[in-house]
Amino acid sequence: MSVAHNVTNSPNTIAPINELKDVELTPTIYPELKRLASYHMFKERSGHTITPTVLVNEAYIKLVKGNRLKAVDRHHFLAISSRCMRQILVDYSRERNAQKRGGSERVLTLNEELAESDQQKSIDVIQLDNALKKLEERDLVQVQIVELRFFSGMTNKEIADLLGISVATIKRKWAMAKAWLYREMS
Amino acid sequence: MTPNSLDEIEQLFEAVLLLPKGECTAYLKSQTSSKEIINEVLELLQAHNDLGGFLTEPLSIEDDFILICPDLSGRLVNVWQVSHQIGQGGMGRVYLAHRADGEYEQTVAFKVVEYKAFNNAAFLKERQILADLEHPNIVSLLDAGTLQEGYPYLIMEYIDGLSIDDWVKQSKELTSEERILLFVKLCKVVQSAHDHGIIHCDLKPSNIYISNDGALKLLDFGIAQSLHDVNATKSDKAESFSFTPEYSSPNRHQHKFPTIQDDIFSLGIIFAQLLTGKTPIMQRSDEIAQPDSKAIAKQIDDIELQAMFLAMTGANNSATHYRSMAELIDDFGFYQNNFPLKALGDNFTYRAKKHLQRNWRRWLSALVIISLLITGGVRHWKTQKIKKDSELIREILSAQVSDTDASLEQQSGMTPTRKKLMMSMVQQLEKLVKNSSNNIQLTKMLADTYNRLGVVTGSPYVLSMGNIPESRRYQYKALALYEKIQRQRKDSLAAHNDISRVKREIAKLYAADNDTKRMREYYAETLQEMEKAYRDQPLKKQHTLAIVYIVGAHGEMHLGNLKYSQQLLDQATKILQALDVREHKVNYEIETRFIKEETAHILLLKSDLNAAKAIYTALLEKKLKNNHWRLVRSHVRVNTALGCIYLQKQQQQIALQYFKQARKFATKLSNKYPAVESLSKALQHYETLDKASSEELSSIMFCTEPRKFMMPLTRR
């Protein structure tokens, strides 16, 4: 992709995640992603799958190409977007759990859809998020790979390009991260 | 662990992934001496083997990303400035918002729909229905639109108050009657929504508010469905609806299409909660717990309220299950007036008990009469056998109805009950008449009952509900039935009388509506009817016709048609003169007297004071031969009229003598009938008589509005 050649920062010098948290881009990208996500949910309802990758790409086109964000290289943008996607999904899970518990003592209308999808889903996003926070202390790159693969749906090749690491390394770190997270979560 | 050891673990982990299972430990031992690292790698290897599909597929939004709209606090949407979140419901969150365009101050509830299976078409329709409904107890929809994120939103009237359960909790002193009244009020709101084809589908205390100024407000027609839609699709399965387990019927728990009875069920649970102050008892059958109607019923002490609760939730049997809000509201009316409830079905002992509770006085006197009959006059009873059985039954029934009605009329506040009684009589009789349409006796009973129902619904001169158009409908029904009888029995005098009576009633109803034209039409028809009936009778048998003339004359006088009024009086006089005096002793005296009195009234209204005075004086010269209350009352009127005439002639002393005379007769009457309130009330007018000035006298005695003391001639 041509954008990839405009990279100004070396991929290896990508900012550490803790710093990314406070990056000024997040306040712009996060709501845009969320908006896009819900927009798609309304437009294309049942049977339609929308991947995070599509959302991230759309957000990129809209924000960067639409000149609402200046001088952001694509890699940087994708890294922040993945982090945002993780945050969005964690926020969502928290809110859903709060809803399920009923929040206060007030009786809430039960949404059947919530109950159903809850049973099918085996991954507890909040638990995963907590495990990822622990993993951050061991290996930041592994965390980034998980975000990019699981929360943003990118392929190993794309991630390798993005982070400037070989595909072999990505594979190794991905396998390692999965095993570590699995042990941590079970 | 050091970063170096972490790197080492990673390297070793990658290596063992490629090795056969049995060789891993040996390989690791050959690479490192750290037991810690070996254990870590082996654990990770175990996890790797166990993890299956863990994290393999990227998170798909379709599966997991159910709508959560970003927090709207602080956002400006159209003209609405969103403030902060104030609640969360099944379909989404609710914010407080203000109108921001400076047009006017307005605080509103801003509701965002966050619901995946959201049906936009149904939503648009619902918006329209809500806008059309404009019910003061249903929160109004002010605006609606779509956020840039794609979420629809609703702007609703903001209710500052408490939910009904909190409100009841807060007002601790509420009696159970007050709780019931509050609930009935709620029922009526739901009923009017049902009448518009809207089912609420999610009734619960948190959707029912009492605003700070005390108004009941129903909110969140969140998933309301059009009734017509249900009929159109006939689908057994609802697509997917939100519901609140605590207040939802078994039908809703099975995801069946919502019906009116689902709302009634929810109301039942709310009803129990309002009465007992306890949240619903739940029972767990499968994953989602359901309200346990039978356990909840046990918390309600009053047997009848308990039965009504069960009839709302349909827990006992389908025969008593309420099918509409009207049935439910009716039962509350019956409950309040001690009539048998539909909820308790056809239990004879129960119904008899209710009857006794209502009419214990009448039953007591009936018992006395029966015991007298048994001891004294069994022979008399046997003579009744002569009558045909059916005729006898009809008479007993009619007597029963008119007795019951008459006794109810004596008690204050029984008018609605009387109406209900007549209404249910009409319904029963309609069924009977349908099956045997040629039975004149039944038809007559039905007509009589319609006539009675009409009177209690809105007859202007008696105790009634005051609903004139509805009353007129019943009278027209009665009229049609009487006319049918008349066609079958052409020469029946009774039929003419009935028709005349109903038409007179209809005329009165039009008079109350100030529709003078129609009033006179009907009165004219009444006259025709009577004239037709009595045309071929000898004059001396036309007594009833004479009364009709007198009544008509009185009505015309009140309308100011003095000339026509006098003509009618002349007709009546002609008949009365032909009457056999010995046969009609009292009535003759009364009616001839009234004709004279009426003539004098007409003269007074025409301001022919001297002519009027002559007749009035002549009337007083005749000594009263009996003390019939109508004659005594006539004396009150005549003395008052004479007083007014002298007052106008500036002879106050003489006027006062007549007024005192009027007071004497009025007091006499009131002493004789102490229970009649209107008589004792009338006495109050005379209290200040002795000290009053000329102007005061004139106003006390209604001299300026003489029609007011010229009392109606009609007897209740």
Side-chain angles (χ1 to χ4, degrees), chain B residues 679-692:
Chain B
L679 292 177
S680 52
K681 247 187 192 163
L683 278 183
Q684 291 169 6
H685 288 293
Y686 304 110
E687 268 171 19
T688 54
L689 209 58
D690 305 284
K691 292 167 195 162

Side-chain angles (χ1 to χ4, degrees), chain B residues 12-43:
Chain B
L12 290 173
F13 176 68
E14 189 188 25
V16 292
L17 285 183
L18 302 168
L19 289 175
K21 229 181 178 180
E23 295 169 22
C24 293
T25 316
Y27 171 78
L28 289 172
K29 279 181 178 166
S30 72
Q31 297 294 314
T32 175
S33 56
S34 162
K35 274 197 172 170
E36 205 185 342
I37 290 177
I38 293 174
N39 279 342
E40 175 81 3
V41 175
L42 284 175
E43 268 186 51

Side-chain angles (χ1 to χ4, degrees), chain B residues 345-404:
Chain B
D346 286 323
N347 180 326
F348 178 76
T349 326
Y350 162 73
R351 300 187 94 82
K353 199 180 123 210
K354 294 311 283 185
H355 187 79
L356 205 59
Q357 276 176 10
R358 277 194 318 274
N359 301 309
W360 63 274
R361 275 177 232 275
R362 288 196 320 113
W363 278 104
L364 199 66
S365 55
L367 280 175
V368 172
I369 292 167
I370 288 168
S371 55
L372 283 176
L373 272 175
I374 291 168
T375 51
V378 181
R379 269 171 296 127
H380 176 71
W381 181 252
K382 279 182 180 160
T383 59
Q384 295 290 319
K385 271 276 171 202
I386 299 163
K387 283 198 173 171
K388 268 194 199 162
D389 280 355
S390 67
E391 183 76 7
L392 188 65
I393 288 167
R394 190 189 74 80
E395 281 201 0
I396 290 171
L397 275 176
S398 299
Q400 170 76 6
V401 173
S402 73
D403 273 12
T404 311

Side-chain angles (χ1 to χ4, degrees), chain A residues 8-147:
Chain A
T8 48
N9 296 348
S10 154
N12 291 321
T13 61
I14 187 163
I17 282 168
N18 284 343
E19 284 173 40
L20 272 179
K21 244 183 198 165
D22 302 319
V23 163
E24 58 183 291
L25 297 177
T26 310
T28 315
I29 296 172
Y30 178 93
E32 181 62 21
L33 277 174
K34 213 167 168 183
R35 196 188 69 73
L36 281 170
S38 51
Y39 178 78
H40 277 281
M41 289 318 301
F42 262 108
K43 243 178 87 185
E44 329 268 354
R45 266 203 313 276
S46 56
H48 181 84
T49 305
I50 176 97
T51 63
T53 320
V54 171
L55 292 180
V56 170
N57 280 332
E58 267 193 44
Y60 181 78
I61 290 163
K62 198 145 185 209
L63 292 175
V64 180
K65 298 247 165 147
N67 280 331
R68 277 168 61 194
L69 278 181
K70 274 178 230 159
V72 184
D73 81 79
R74 181 170 169 80
H75 288 165
H76 200 161
F77 183 87
L78 291 177
I80 297 169
S81 295
S82 302
R83 167 46 67 96
C84 285
M85 282 311 299
R86 172 179 159 191
Q87 197 55 51
I88 285 169
L89 292 167
V90 167
D91 286 351
Y92 160 67
S93 292
R94 287 230 169 82
E95 212 150 340
R96 198 184 57 180
N97 285 355
Q99 234 175 45
K100 247 187 346 195
R101 282 195 306 273
S104 61
E105 73 279 15
R106 265 266 163 267
V107 180
L108 284 172
T109 305
L110 183 85
N111 195 315
E112 284 170 37
E113 305 249 327
L114 285 185
E116 272 167 32
S117 67
D118 223 34
Q119 288 158 8
Q120 295 161 359
K121 208 66 221 173
S122 53
I123 291 220
D124 183 335
V125 180
I126 296 168
Q127 214 189 342
L128 177 64
D129 185 58
N130 289 333
L132 282 170
K133 279 178 188 153
K134 282 193 186 169
L135 187 57
E136 277 170 19
E137 291 161 17
R138 287 173 65 115
D139 193 331
L140 281 175
V141 181
Q142 280 184 20
V143 174
Q144 277 194 306
I145 292 170
V146 173
E147 283 179 348

Side-chain angles (χ1 to χ4, degrees), chain B residues 98-367:
Chain B
H98 305 274
R99 204 181 165 101
D101 61 355
E103 283 284 308
Y104 45 89
E105 272 294 311
Q106 192 173 22
T107 306
V108 297
F110 187 106
K111 188 173 169 183
V112 183
V113 178
E114 296 168 291
Y115 188 58
K116 195 173 169 186
F118 175 75
N119 183 336
N120 204 47
F123 177 66
L124 287 173
K125 196 160 68 189
E126 190 194 310
R127 276 184 196 174
Q128 194 51 51
I129 295 169
L130 268 181
D132 290 347
L133 203 55
E134 272 187 35
H135 192 290
N137 299 108
I138 294 175
V139 289
S140 39
L141 178 74
L142 303 169
D143 190 12
T146 308
L147 294 175
Q148 55 165 333
E149 282 89 347
Y151 299 98
Y153 65 85
L154 290 166
I155 308 287
M156 318 284 282
E157 180 189 351
Y158 173 68
I159 307 300
D160 201 3
L162 288 173
S163 63
I164 195 166
D165 52 339
D166 288 343
W167 187 82
V168 166
K169 240 181 262 166
Q170 199 202 42
S171 9
K172 284 182 193 118
E173 301 298 306
L174 282 185
T175 64
S176 76
E177 281 75 27
E178 285 167 322
R179 286 160 205 259
I180 290 168
L181 281 180
L182 178 67
F183 181 74
V184 172
K185 198 169 164 190
L186 166 65
C187 287
K188 287 184 176 163
V189 182
V190 175
Q191 183 184 31
S192 68
H194 284 182
D195 289 346
H196 281 77
I198 310 179
I199 308 177
H200 189 291
C201 302
D202 197 16
L203 285 166
K204 54 182 167 180
S206 57
N207 276 340
I208 305 155
Y209 265 69
I210 311 289
S211 71
N212 286 344
D213 47 14
L216 179 87
K217 291 278 185 178
L218 210 49
L219 21 144
D220 217 358
F221 270 85
I223 44 174
Q225 287 290 304
S226 163
L227 274 181
H228 308 300
D229 261 12
V230 178
N231 293 334
T233 54
K234 291 260 177 192
S235 160
D236 219 22
K237 194 180 174 296
E239 291 151 33
S240 181
F241 289 109
S242 300
F243 68 101
T244 308
E246 282 82 350
Y247 298 93
S248 290
S249 64
N251 185 49
R252 298 285 295 119
H253 275 273
Q254 288 160 28
H255 313 325
K256 287 189 182 151
F257 224 96
T259 69
I260 283 174
Q261 280 184 327
D262 295 323
D263 271 0
I264 296 178
F265 180 95
S266 306
L267 284 171
I269 306 289
I270 295 166
F271 177 58
Q273 193 173 342
L274 290 184
L275 283 181
T276 65
K278 291 172 185 151
T279 47
I281 301 174
M282 303 293 279
Q283 59 177 349
R284 190 164 280 278
S285 54
D286 47 274
E287 276 155 37
I288 299 168
Q290 298 194 15
D292 186 342
S293 302
K294 291 198 169 152
I296 295 170
K298 285 185 188 138
Q299 297 179 313
I300 304 172
D301 299 327
D302 184 312
I303 282 281
E304 289 181 300
L305 295 179
Q306 189 188 70
M308 287 165 75
F309 167 79
L310 289 169
M312 281 186 249
T313 53
N316 260 7
N317 64 59
S318 55
T320 52
H321 198 175
Y322 296 128
R323 282 156 305 179
S324 68
M325 289 305 298
E327 282 188 1
L328 167 59
I329 292 168
D330 274 356
D331 247 9
F332 272 105
F334 293 145
Y335 173 79
Q336 281 156 348
N337 291 315
N338 263 327
F339 272 84
L341 303 181
K342 181 189 177 287
L344 276 162
D346 286 323
N347 180 326
F348 178 76
T349 326
Y350 162 73
R351 300 187 94 82
K353 199 180 123 210
K354 294 311 283 185
H355 187 79
L356 205 59
Q357 276 176 10
R358 277 194 318 274
N359 301 309
W360 63 274
R361 275 177 232 275
R362 288 196 320 113
W363 278 104
L364 199 66
S365 55
L367 280 175

